[in-house]
Amino acid sequence: MTSQLYLITPPSIADHAAFARAVDDALSAGPVPALQIRLKDVSLDEIRALTRLITPIAHRHGTAVLMNDHVDLAKELRLDGVHVGQSDTPYKEARKRLGGEAMIGVTCHNSRHLAMEAAEAGADYVAFGAFYPTATKTVEHMAELDTLTIWQETMEVPCVAIGGITAANAAEVSAAGADFIAVSGAVWTHPDGPAAGVRALLAAI
């Protein structure tokens, strides 16, 4: 099976205008079905400003925009959905606030039990990770590739693999059964620019 790319913003963005150009470049390089806005340690106003800037760019490329955790902000900005962690807004609460059309994904670390609960509740996808060390966030849970394989063989709900994935290891994650491969640093910090980062990942999977 072929995995698809799921792009996540860097945790902090100094220059919004430059980042908007980088998003346009990255999404021009090949199909990226989803972009998650995940900024850490910044104000809601900054998240709001960046989201308003890059959402039209993403939509022009046919890319859905999801907000990390901030359910009310996702609703206010009419985004395509949210991604919630185990310590964020509970899935059922997010669904109630956003309605049936919103795309809602849930972090499940390496736990098929958490993933089954999320899938049965109605989540649109479950996310497993981290699979490799990552510089984007502190890794508390490491996941095994077998988790993807078993999930793929037993469940219909799509799974996202996240955490330290690069063009060098994306092929084995894809082969293990990830429907989507979530990446951040492999695109935004690619030495030849974000478009080259997307092309390298797509070539790998």
Side-chain angles (χ1 to χ4, degrees), residues 3 17 27 34 37 39 48 56 68 73 81 95 98 104 119-120 122 140 145 149 155 160 181 188 205:
S3 305
L27 300 183
I37 295 171
L39 296 180
R48 190 180 277 116
N68 184 269
L73 201 52
R95 178 63 73 197
L98 294 179
I104 302 179
E120 283 163 11
E140 294 169 18
L145 292 173
T149 307
M155 300 295 289
V160 174
I181 288 182
W188 308 120
I205 58 178

Side-chain angles (χ1 to χ4, degrees), residues 86 91 106 108 113-126:
Q86 289 297 322
Y91 166 79
V106 180
C108 300
H113 174 71
L114 290 175
M116 300 273 283
E117 286 185 341
E120 283 163 11
D124 293 289
Y125 69 82
V126 297

Side-chain angles (χ1 to χ4, degrees), residues 160-173:
V160 174
I162 187 167
I165 299 171
T166 65
N169 58 32
E172 63 182 8
V173 181

Side-chain angles (χ1 to χ4, degrees), residues 43-66:
S43 68
L44 286 180
D45 281 341
E46 183 174 339
I47 298 174
R48 190 180 277 116
L50 181 80
T51 303
R52 285 193 170 128
L53 186 63
I54 65 176
T55 298
I57 297 168
H59 284 166
R60 196 168 68 240
H61 288 285
T63 300
V65 179
L66 287 83

Side-chain angles (χ1 to χ4, degrees), residues 49-166:
L50 181 80
T51 303
R52 285 193 170 128
L53 186 63
I54 65 176
T55 298
I57 297 168
H59 284 166
R60 196 168 68 240
H61 288 285
T63 300
V65 179
L66 287 83
M67 177 67 68
N68 184 269
D69 185 29
H70 300 291
V71 175
D72 290 339
L73 201 52
K75 184 170 184 175
E76 174 197 328
L77 299 172
R78 298 186 175 177
L79 301 185
D80 301 292
V82 293
H83 179 90
V84 293
Q86 289 297 322
S87 56
D88 297 336
T89 307
Y91 166 79
K92 285 180 178 169
E93 178 68 24
R95 178 63 73 197
K96 197 161 79 179
R97 275 146 70 181
L98 294 179
E101 293 299 302
M103 188 188 305
I104 302 179
V106 180
T107 294
C108 300
H109 307 305
N110 193 41
S111 168
R112 290 199 306 281
H113 174 71
L114 290 175
M116 300 273 283
E117 286 185 341
E120 283 163 11
D124 293 289
Y125 69 82
V126 297
F128 295 114
F131 287 91
Y132 307 95
T134 168
T136 312
K137 62 187 291 193
T138 306
V139 175
E140 294 169 18
H141 304 270
M142 291 303 287
E144 292 142 7
L145 292 173
D146 283 0
T147 304
L148 297 170
T149 307
I150 295 165
W151 184 263
Q152 195 59 251
E153 288 167 354
T154 55
M155 300 295 289
E156 294 289 315
V157 173
C159 61
V160 174
I162 187 167
I165 299 171
T166 65

